[in-house]
Amino acid sequence: MNGSIKVNGEARDWKDQSMVDLLGEFDVAAGQSGVAVALNGAVLPRDDWGATRLAQGDEVEIVYIVRGG
Amino acid sequence: MNGSIKVNGEARDWKDQSMVDLLGEFDVAAGQSGVAVALNGAVLPRDDWGATRLAQGDEVEIVYIVRGG
Amino acid sequence: MNGSIKVNGEARDWKDQSMVDLLGEFDVAAGQSGVAVALNGAVLPRDDWGATRLAQGDEVEIVYIVRGG
Amino acid sequence: MNGSIKVNGEARDWKDQSMVDLLGEFDVAAGQSGVAVALNGAVLPRDDWGATRLAQGDEVEIVYIVRGG
Amino acid sequence: MDDARTADSHGMTIAGKTFRSRLMIGTSRYPNQQVMLDALEASGAEIVTVAVRRVSLDGGGAGLYDALGDNYHLLPNTAGCFTARDAVLTAQLAREALGTNWVKLEVIGDEETLFPDVEHLLDAADQLVNDGFIVLPYCNDDPITCKKLEDIGCAAVMPLGAPIGSGMGIRNPYNLRIIRDQCSVPIIVDAGVGTASDAAVAMEIGCDGILLNTAVAGARDPVKMARAMRLGIEAGRYAFEAGRIPKRLYATASTPEDGIIGG
Amino acid sequence: MDDARTADSHGMTIAGKTFRSRLMIGTSRYPNQQVMLDALEASGAEIVTVAVRRVSLDGGGAGLYDALGDNYHLLPNTAGCFTARDAVLTAQLAREALGTNWVKLEVIGDEETLFPDVEHLLDAADQLVNDGFIVLPYCNDDPITCKKLEDIGCAAVMPLGAPIGSGMGIRNPYNLRIIRDQCSVPIIVDAGVGTASDAAVAMEIGCDGILLNTAVAGARDPVKMARAMRLGIEAGRYAFEAGRIPKRLYATASTPEDGIIGG
Amino acid sequence: MDDARTADSHGMTIAGKTFRSRLMIGTSRYPNQQVMLDALEASGAEIVTVAVRRVSLDGGGAGLYDALGDNYHLLPNTAGCFTARDAVLTAQLAREALGTNWVKLEVIGDEETLFPDVEHLLDAADQLVNDGFIVLPYCNDDPITCKKLEDIGCAAVMPLGAPIGSGMGIRNPYNLRIIRDQCSVPIIVDAGVGTASDAAVAMEIGCDGILLNTAVAGARDPVKMARAMRLGIEAGRYAFEAGRIPKRLYATASTPEDGIIGG
Amino acid sequence: MDDARTADSHGMTIAGKTFRSRLMIGTSRYPNQQVMLDALEASGAEIVTVAVRRVSLDGGGAGLYDALGDNYHLLPNTAGCFTARDAVLTAQLAREALGTNWVKLEVIGDEETLFPDVEHLLDAADQLVNDGFIVLPYCNDDPITCKKLEDIGCAAVMPLGAPIGSGMGIRNPYNLRIIRDQCSVPIIVDAGVGTASDAAVAMEIGCDGILLNTAVAGARDPVKMARAMRLGIEAGRYAFEAGRIPKRLYATASTPEDGIIGG
């Protein structure tokens, strides 16, 4: 099974992982506050992170709060 | 034959007149410069004034140049 | 004895009075603070009010503190 | 005869010269316009330049027109 | 002034057409027609603005065209339009009436301030450029809007210095300077100029021209004010080209200081 | 500009002498003498300022008088003097050198700002007026000082707009307006003008003339800036005479609003 | 200051929520986190702005939320978005990340000026209001745009005083006054404030609050400047409520003039 | 505000005496005595100014001294004096009446502008310094005059920002900055302040204090305006000490730009 997904604009191997698995790679804990996820251009509520498995070609945005004006 | 047309936003009797006839009522000579006419929302070139007969319900705008800033 | 003195720019009868007498006419008590007196263009310290007798032609200024900016 | 005079703030030998002589040393012609002379703090009219002999200790100012704002 | 004018290396070029005068002047609100004609002449302007209005039932109105048509480039405006639709039709009628494809595009957003409605203005500008018009849009002093108007294909941008007829001058010279940096089309300051020094200031910033009306028409002596504006614009333009001295908090002597008496 | 000039009903009259130009210009700090001569001509000025300095031992210096004496009214200044005594002697020497009893009186209080020393200035002005001079004093923008100079008998007052050579323009137009209200002698703004609009602003306040030097001599193109100043002064003067429109926070339509399409 | 604060009859109420402080402050560009925390406290602000960014592969970043979440209302912005689409998604992600439906909406039109793109801003504001957001849009000082944002349903308008980080202060107080007249939602001046008097000026015009960041974070002593801003805003607000004296060109004696010695 | 006050490292020290408040406030023209007392308290001022006047034949007048003497440092002025002679005698009478050798020296040159007469002012200041007074002279914003007053031995200089009671604010901040550079005694801006931001501006220039009266007494709510002035002065002082960011024509992003969505 060799496909890819896009995370924060960069290609990544698809390993049939769950969203929680992927977030783990970014040190993001399940349901962690101050963080949000978009899947294919729509926000994915934190409650759905666990139940969500990634498919080939999925585009994921993982964002968190930073300093701003 | 009792219909009406609208000229510069005001109702007027329809007398099966030509555009030139109507313009005459406003002291506008055929092909007079500094004047323009719109028929039902589109400009009517002065060359077409003569050949144009008005139909019931037609909306006519007759404008001329005035002082402006 | 009919002479005159000048008090705050206005003529007044001279009655051989002491400065304290004169001040009394202006409801100014002996040694009262917030008030000052000039005799013939020079400040008269409050301690000298009692010992000072007025002479004909003397010019007296009696001032007090008022609101100011 | 060894004395000195002061010209434009600087000491100079006194040679019993006339003002015209002195001016000559500065390339100033007799009666030249655009130039003026002061002798001991007072203006010396150009008509008197010729008749004026310098004395020991005299202070002379020789000025001319320059660019200014 | 001819020597002076020719000395102005640039002139004002809009849509490939060059004008000696950098002033565009309106024809409204003068005490009477003769004062208007005298003021226009004194202003030196080659472009004068006019409006189009419905013929009133009591006729009349051919007069203005006859009085000005031969001597000036008549620039019709779309004053009073609040929508792109009305502005486009008004521009098309003006083109037919005057035989010119130039238009001063106005789309107003509010009757109190007469500030433009940027959304409708951009829409109307786009339609008119595509319909073959030379579009001179009256806009606000927002650099982003001016850049968009340039990108749409407008032949110039005409940011306001202050509200129309307010005479408040150039309220925000900083924005004009930014617009000057970012736009390559001519910048005509439209509205706000109240007196000659306002016009000079706009030119010193590097703007290309001025459009005004009330400041001249409403002055106690419109003809004299027209001359003042002409001179103020020339003065400001020459100053811009001449390259002014820098500003300093402290003084620098103009007269050299050596050789001072008693010094 | 002739029509324009004659249209200026006033001209500038100082001590009974009338000048067509309201500009007085300095002769210092130009790139070279030819640029200076061209700039003076372009400025239209009739009065040019000069200074008097000690003849240096290496001679020279007759040149300036020959170059300017025939074409301009030379107005000597007392630049660089810090005391009434030095200023009075300098004025007397200038009178002898140039055969004029006019003097631009400067008594400086500080080398960094070149602001006048008001006490010494009033003293020197009094001495010179009594000695038969036409005194044009460079002063600060203090209305009280200006009134005193007028009462002493000065032929004009020359308040600064900003420090000499600073190019900061008219820093405090309010004081100039008060001086305008309170003095009846001509008011010449001396120092501070940096560009054409500064000159126009001073004239619009109602001042009678401008004296400048660095703004022209130090510009990238002095001749063009000289022309800009001439036009700026004329523009400001005409605007002042024309009577400007009042300032308003809100707009007033220049184009009449009746008969608008869709209206 | 408690007595003072309670004496402020209004406070600042946005979308039905009342805040004692009229200052919103950013969290960016401080020398370090401790200085930021001290400055935020000194500022008295209850609302602080934050941004959302992609998690970098090297992790980290939870820190800020933990440091501020308990003590301040975190207001996420959409800084850096150039389109309505990006701004809307960014706002939705921020809502999910912070559990707040408040957003400081920024849609930038140009990287050099960081001025807003009015078309995209209006579009994004409309989408977000319909999606249930409390929208606080960063906009320009155009009264027409501000009125449209109010009509769309924004909870406030946040016109810029000058470009972000420029420290130029309130460049065009006239427009702010017009916006004050025409809008009934709170007006928060966002961007441009450089020092305490700038903040006071904005409040004296009648604005309801100030949003700033660089002026404090970039000051030599951010904590002291934060205190200065807090006091400047309170000072300006009290002055606005107190009703200032009118401006006069001439003087009026404060000390009564009867009974003067020698008088 | 105590923490704030102590955080102000300087305080205001005049003639060796340190005051926590940088505000001096007048006692004239309040609606009534109670409003005056409340405003003085709200202002936080420690020094209040009073005048001396001839006792009227109908007596009265001890009231003010009793009302203020215990709580404030009473600073007598010489308002209304037009000559050095009158000002000196008035100061001496005030010293006798109040038992203080401090005096706010005013020598007026003109009733319309209430601008000082510089010649008489310098003369009176010299006499009073030699007579042992702590002289605080009300002067104009002329750097030369301020330096002379310092050299005479005045304990501070008090240049006007604008005419007394005009509320025009700081008309010429440039001169104040020059005075700040050239004088080492405290600079108190006396007259002209109309609202809180004016006071903040003066402090941001680096002035040491403010003296005002009409701006508070004549406000619709004098007590609230007194508080506004106190805060405005503190705000301006902190901003001055904090070191503001430089001004830029263009923007600098406050929010970092890496990691933007869609970026």
Side-chain angles (χ1 to χ4, degrees):
Chain A
M1 54 195 243
N2 48 13
S4 76
I5 57 176
K6 207 171 193 188
V7 180
N8 287 351
E10 290 177 6
R12 247 171 127 68
D13 289 345
W14 171 67
K15 315 167 192 160
D16 187 24
Q17 59 273 75
S18 74
M19 183 63 78
V20 171
D21 299 334
L22 178 64
L23 292 171
E25 300 174 33
F26 289 87
D27 303 332
V28 174
Q32 179 176 317
S33 61
V35 179
V37 175
L39 176 57
N40 300 325
V43 172
L44 183 72
R46 53 170 39 75
D47 299 347
D48 304 345
W49 292 354
T52 303
R53 287 208 91 65
L54 294 168
Q56 289 188 41
D58 275 348
E59 298 195 5
V60 180
E61 293 281 354
I62 310 171
V63 303
Y64 70 127
I65 296 306
V66 299
R67 295 178 178 183
Chain B
M1 53 194 248
N2 47 14
S4 75
I5 57 177
K6 207 171 193 184
V7 180
N8 288 351
E10 291 179 4
R12 241 169 131 67
D13 287 348
W14 171 68
K15 313 168 193 159
D16 186 27
Q17 52 288 64
S18 75
M19 185 62 80
V20 171
D21 300 333
L22 177 65
L23 291 171
E25 300 173 34
F26 288 86
D27 302 330
V28 175
Q32 179 177 314
S33 63
V35 180
V37 175
L39 177 56
N40 300 325
V43 173
L44 183 73
R46 53 170 39 75
D47 299 348
D48 304 345
W49 292 355
T52 302
R53 287 209 90 65
L54 294 168
Q56 291 188 40
D58 276 348
E59 296 195 6
V60 180
E61 295 279 355
I62 310 171
V63 302
Y64 68 126
I65 296 306
V66 299
R67 297 178 176 182
Chain C
M1 54 195 240
N2 48 14
S4 74
I5 57 178
K6 208 171 193 186
V7 180
N8 288 351
E10 291 179 4
R12 245 172 126 68
D13 288 346
W14 171 67
K15 313 169 192 158
D16 186 25
Q17 59 273 75
S18 74
M19 184 62 79
V20 170
D21 299 333
L22 178 64
L23 291 171
E25 300 174 34
F26 289 86
D27 302 333
V28 175
Q32 178 176 318
S33 62
V35 179
V37 175
L39 178 56
N40 300 323
V43 173
L44 183 72
R46 53 169 38 77
D47 298 347
D48 304 347
W49 293 355
T52 302
R53 285 207 93 67
L54 294 168
Q56 290 188 40
D58 276 346
E59 297 196 5
V60 180
E61 295 280 354
I62 310 172
V63 302
Y64 69 127
I65 296 306
V66 299
R67 295 177 178 184
Chain D
M1 53 194 245
N2 47 14
S4 75
I5 56 177
K6 208 171 192 187
V7 179
N8 288 351
E10 291 178 3
R12 251 171 122 65
D13 288 346
W14 170 68
K15 313 167 192 159
D16 186 27
Q17 51 289 62
S18 76
M19 184 62 78
V20 171
D21 300 332
L22 178 64
L23 291 171
E25 301 175 32
F26 288 86
D27 301 332
V28 175
Q32 179 176 316
S33 62
V35 178
V37 175
L39 176 57
N40 299 325
V43 173
L44 183 73
R46 52 169 39 75
D47 298 348
D48 304 345
W49 291 355
T52 303
R53 287 207 91 66
L54 294 168
Q56 290 188 39
D58 275 347
E59 297 195 5
V60 180
E61 294 281 355
I62 310 171
V63 302
Y64 69 127
I65 297 304
V66 298
R67 296 178 176 182
Chain E
M1 293 306 311
D2 284 341
D3 66 317
R5 254 219 200 78
T6 48
D8 175 346
S9 43
H10 304 64
M12 175 173 68
T13 301
I14 301 176
K17 204 161 173 5
T18 298
F19 303 90
R20 287 176 305 110
S21 169
R22 294 174 174 280
L23 176 60
M24 303 181 184
I25 188 163
T27 54
S28 186
R29 301 207 183 285
Y30 293 83
N32 60 56
Q33 175 136 326
Q34 190 53 53
V35 170
M36 177 190 79
L37 293 173
D38 295 345
L40 295 187
E41 186 177 3
S43 77
E46 297 155 86
I47 300 173
V48 303
T49 56
V50 294
V52 293
R53 289 288 181 269
R54 286 167 164 172
V55 172
S56 58
L57 285 159
D58 40 51
L64 187 66
Y65 182 82
D66 302 341
L68 301 175
D70 300 339
N71 306 316
Y72 298 97
H73 299 274
L74 299 189
L75 176 65
N77 68 32
T78 61
C81 295
F82 282 76
T83 65
R85 198 182 139 293
D86 287 345
V88 168
L89 177 57
T90 299
Q92 291 166 332
L93 284 164
R95 175 170 56 180
E96 170 69 12
L98 290 171
T100 176
N101 64 341
W102 288 48
V103 62
K104 176 193 170 184
L105 178 61
E106 288 186 50
V107 189
I108 300 306
D110 167 83
E111 276 189 329
E112 252 190 313
T113 61
L114 297 178
F115 277 142
D117 181 311
V118 169
E119 287 178 301
H120 280 277
L121 178 66
L122 290 164
D123 177 4
D126 193 41
Q127 292 184 47
L128 290 170
V129 165
N130 291 330
D131 190 15
F133 279 86
I134 304 298
V135 180
L136 311 180
Y138 157 72
C139 53
N140 60 15
D141 63 0
D142 173 28
I144 306 297
T145 300
C146 287
K147 195 79 185 72
K148 286 185 175 186
L149 289 164
E150 172 174 322
D151 294 342
I152 282 172
C154 292
V157 292
M158 307 210 295
L160 56 84
I164 293 171
S166 70
M168 293 290 281
I170 310 303
R171 289 188 189 178
N172 190 340
Y174 306 98
N175 276 11
L176 286 186
R177 209 174 305 159
I178 291 171
I179 294 167
R180 169 72 297 169
D181 292 348
Q182 300 194 327
C183 290
S184 51
V185 293
I187 297 168
I188 315 296
V189 171
D190 182 357
V193 167
T195 183
S197 58
D198 296 335
V201 165
M203 302 308 289
E204 287 166 353
I205 290 170
C207 296
D208 298 275
I210 305 282
L211 194 160
L212 55 80
N213 184 341
T214 307
V216 164
R220 203 175 55 237
D221 181 340
V223 179
K224 191 168 271 189
M225 186 57 88
R227 183 183 295 115
M229 291 298 184
R230 186 188 92 220
L231 296 171
I233 289 169
E234 292 171 351
R237 180 65 194 187
Y238 286 130
F240 172 70
E241 295 179 1
R244 62 158 294 156
I245 57 173
K247 293 184 179 185
R248 289 195 198 76
L249 177 59
Y250 282 94
T252 53
S254 50
T255 301
E257 272 157 25
D258 48 298
I260 292 168
I261 292 170
Chain F
M1 294 304 311
D2 284 342
D3 65 319
R5 252 214 204 85
T6 48
D8 175 347
S9 44
H10 305 66
M12 175 171 68
T13 301
I14 301 175
K17 204 159 171 9
T18 298
F19 303 90
R20 286 175 308 111
S21 169
R22 294 173 173 281
L23 176 60
M24 303 181 185
I25 189 164
T27 54
S28 186
R29 301 208 182 286
Y30 293 83
N32 59 57
Q33 175 137 324
Q34 190 53 53
V35 170
M36 176 191 81
L37 293 172
D38 294 345
L40 295 187
E41 186 177 2
S43 77
E46 297 156 84
I47 300 173
V48 304
T49 56
V50 295
V52 294
R53 288 289 181 269
R54 285 167 164 173
V55 172
S56 58
L57 284 160
D58 40 50
L64 188 66
Y65 182 82
D66 301 341
L68 300 175
D70 300 340
N71 307 316
Y72 297 98
H73 299 273
L74 300 189
L75 176 64
N77 68 31
T78 61
C81 295
F82 283 75
T83 66
R85 195 181 142 294
D86 287 344
V88 167
L89 177 56
T90 300
Q92 291 166 333
L93 284 164
R95 176 170 57 181
E96 171 68 12
L98 290 172
T100 176
N101 64 341
W102 289 47
V103 63
K104 174 192 171 184
L105 177 61
E106 288 185 50
V107 190
I108 300 306
D110 168 82
E111 276 189 329
E112 252 190 314
T113 61
L114 297 178
F115 278 140
D117 180 312
V118 169
E119 287 178 301
H120 280 276
L121 178 67
L122 290 165
D123 176 3
D126 193 41
Q127 291 184 49
L128 290 170
V129 166
N130 291 330
D131 190 14
F133 279 87
I134 304 297
V135 180
L136 310 181
Y138 156 72
C139 53
N140 60 14
D141 63 0
D142 172 28
I144 307 297
T145 300
C146 288
K147 195 82 186 68
K148 285 184 176 187
L149 289 164
E150 172 175 323
D151 295 342
I152 281 172
C154 292
V157 291
M158 307 209 296
L160 56 84
I164 293 171
S166 70
M168 293 290 282
I170 310 301
R171 289 188 187 177
N172 190 339
Y174 307 97
N175 276 11
L176 285 186
R177 209 175 306 160
I178 291 171
I179 293 167
R180 169 72 299 169
D181 292 348
Q182 299 194 328
C183 290
S184 50
V185 293
I187 297 167
I188 314 296
V189 172
D190 183 357
V193 168
T195 184
S197 58
D198 296 336
V201 165
M203 302 308 289
E204 287 167 353
I205 290 170
C207 296
D208 298 275
I210 305 283
L211 193 161
L212 54 79
N213 185 341
T214 306
V216 165
R220 201 176 56 236
D221 180 341
V223 179
K224 192 169 269 189
M225 186 57 88
R227 181 183 297 114
M229 291 297 184
R230 187 189 91 222
L231 295 171
I233 289 170
E234 292 170 351
R237 179 66 194 185
Y238 287 130
F240 171 70
E241 295 179 1
R244 63 158 293 156
I245 56 173
K247 293 184 180 184
R248 291 195 197 74
L249 177 57
Y250 281 94
T252 53
S254 51
T255 301
E257 273 157 25
D258 47 300
I260 292 168
I261 292 169
Chain G
M1 292 305 310
D2 284 341
D3 64 320
R5 242 199 218 97
T6 48
D8 175 347
S9 42
H10 304 67
M12 176 172 68
T13 302
I14 301 175
K17 204 160 172 10
T18 297
F19 303 89
R20 287 176 305 109
S21 169
R22 294 172 174 280
L23 175 60
M24 303 180 185
I25 190 164
T27 54
S28 186
R29 301 210 181 287
Y30 292 83
N32 59 58
Q33 175 137 324
Q34 190 54 53
V35 170
M36 177 190 81
L37 293 173
D38 295 346
L40 296 187
E41 185 177 2
S43 76
E46 297 155 86
I47 300 173
V48 303
T49 56
V50 295
V52 294
R53 288 289 181 268
R54 284 169 164 171
V55 172
S56 56
L57 285 159
D58 40 51
L64 188 66
Y65 183 83
D66 302 341
L68 300 175
D70 299 340
N71 306 316
Y72 298 98
H73 299 273
L74 299 188
L75 176 65
N77 68 31
T78 61
C81 294
F82 283 75
T83 65
R85 196 182 141 293
D86 287 344
V88 167
L89 177 56
T90 300
Q92 291 166 332
L93 284 164
R95 175 171 56 182
E96 171 68 12
L98 289 172
T100 175
N101 63 341
W102 288 48
V103 63
K104 175 193 171 185
L105 178 61
E106 287 186 50
V107 190
I108 299 305
D110 168 82
E111 276 190 328
E112 253 190 314
T113 61
L114 297 179
F115 277 140
D117 181 312
V118 169
E119 288 177 300
H120 280 276
L121 178 67
L122 290 164
D123 177 3
D126 192 41
Q127 292 185 48
L128 291 170
V129 166
N130 291 329
D131 190 15
F133 279 87
I134 304 297
V135 180
L136 310 181
Y138 156 72
C139 53
N140 60 15
D141 64 0
D142 173 28
I144 307 297
T145 300
C146 288
K147 193 83 185 70
K148 286 185 175 185
L149 289 164
E150 172 175 324
D151 295 342
I152 281 172
C154 293
V157 292
M158 308 209 296
L160 56 85
I164 292 171
S166 70
M168 293 291 281
I170 310 302
R171 288 189 188 177
N172 190 341
Y174 307 97
N175 276 12
L176 286 186
R177 208 175 307 160
I178 291 172
I179 293 167
R180 169 72 298 168
D181 292 348
Q182 300 194 328
C183 290
S184 50
V185 293
I187 297 168
I188 313 296
V189 172
D190 182 358
V193 167
T195 184
S197 58
D198 297 335
V201 165
M203 302 308 289
E204 286 166 354
I205 290 170
C207 296
D208 298 276
I210 305 283
L211 194 161
L212 54 79
N213 184 341
T214 307
V216 164
R220 203 176 55 239
D221 181 341
V223 179
K224 191 169 271 189
M225 185 58 87
R227 182 183 296 116
M229 290 298 183
R230 186 189 92 221
L231 295 171
I233 289 170
E234 292 171 352
R237 180 65 194 188
Y238 286 130
F240 171 70
E241 295 178 2
R244 61 157 295 155
I245 57 172
K247 293 184 180 184
R248 291 194 198 74
L249 177 58
Y250 281 94
T252 52
S254 50
T255 301
E257 273 157 25
D258 48 299
I260 292 167
I261 292 169
Chain H
M1 290 307 310
D2 283 342
D3 64 321
R5 261 227 194 71
T6 47
D8 174 347
S9 43
H10 304 66
M12 176 173 69
T13 301
I14 301 175
K17 203 159 171 13
T18 297
F19 303 89
R20 286 177 305 110
S21 170
R22 294 173 174 280
L23 175 60
M24 303 181 185
I25 189 164
T27 55
S28 186
R29 301 210 182 287
Y30 293 82
N32 59 57
Q33 174 136 327
Q34 190 54 51
V35 170
M36 176 190 80
L37 293 173
D38 295 345
L40 295 187
E41 186 177 3
S43 77
E46 297 156 85
I47 300 173
V48 303
T49 56
V50 294
V52 293
R53 288 290 181 268
R54 285 167 164 171
V55 172
S56 57
L57 284 159
D58 41 50
L64 188 66
Y65 182 83
D66 302 339
L68 301 175
D70 300 340
N71 307 316
Y72 297 97
H73 299 272
L74 300 189
L75 176 65
N77 68 32
T78 61
C81 294
F82 283 75
T83 66
R85 198 182 140 292
D86 287 345
V88 168
L89 176 56
T90 300
Q92 291 167 332
L93 285 164
R95 175 171 56 181
E96 171 68 13
L98 289 172
T100 175
N101 63 341
W102 288 48
V103 63
K104 174 192 171 185
L105 178 60
E106 287 186 51
V107 191
I108 299 307
D110 168 83
E111 277 191 328
E112 251 189 315
T113 61
L114 297 178
F115 278 141
D117 181 312
V118 169
E119 287 178 301
H120 280 277
L121 178 66
L122 290 164
D123 176 3
D126 193 42
Q127 292 185 48
L128 290 170
V129 166
N130 291 329
D131 190 14
F133 279 87
I134 304 298
V135 180
L136 311 180
Y138 156 72
C139 54
N140 60 15
D141 64 0
D142 173 28
I144 307 297
T145 300
C146 287
K147 195 80 185 71
K148 285 185 176 186
L149 289 165
E150 172 174 324
D151 295 342
I152 282 173
C154 292
V157 292
M158 307 210 295
L160 56 83
I164 292 171
S166 70
M168 293 289 282
I170 310 303
R171 290 188 188 177
N172 190 339
Y174 307 97
N175 277 12
L176 286 186
R177 210 175 306 161
I178 291 171
I179 294 168
R180 169 71 297 169
D181 291 348
Q182 299 194 329
C183 289
S184 49
V185 292
I187 297 168
I188 314 296
V189 171
D190 183 357
V193 167
T195 184
S197 58
D198 296 335
V201 165
M203 302 308 290
E204 287 166 352
I205 290 170
C207 296
D208 299 274
I210 304 283
L211 193 161
L212 54 80
N213 184 340
T214 306
V216 164
R220 203 176 55 237
D221 181 340
V223 179
K224 192 169 270 188
M225 185 58 87
R227 181 182 298 116
M229 291 298 183
R230 186 189 91 220
L231 295 171
I233 290 170
E234 292 171 352
R237 179 66 194 185
Y238 286 129
F240 171 71
E241 295 179 1
R244 62 157 294 155
I245 57 173
K247 293 183 179 185
R248 290 194 198 76
L249 177 58
Y250 281 93
T252 52
S254 50
T255 301
E257 271 156 26
D258 47 299
I260 291 169
I261 291 170

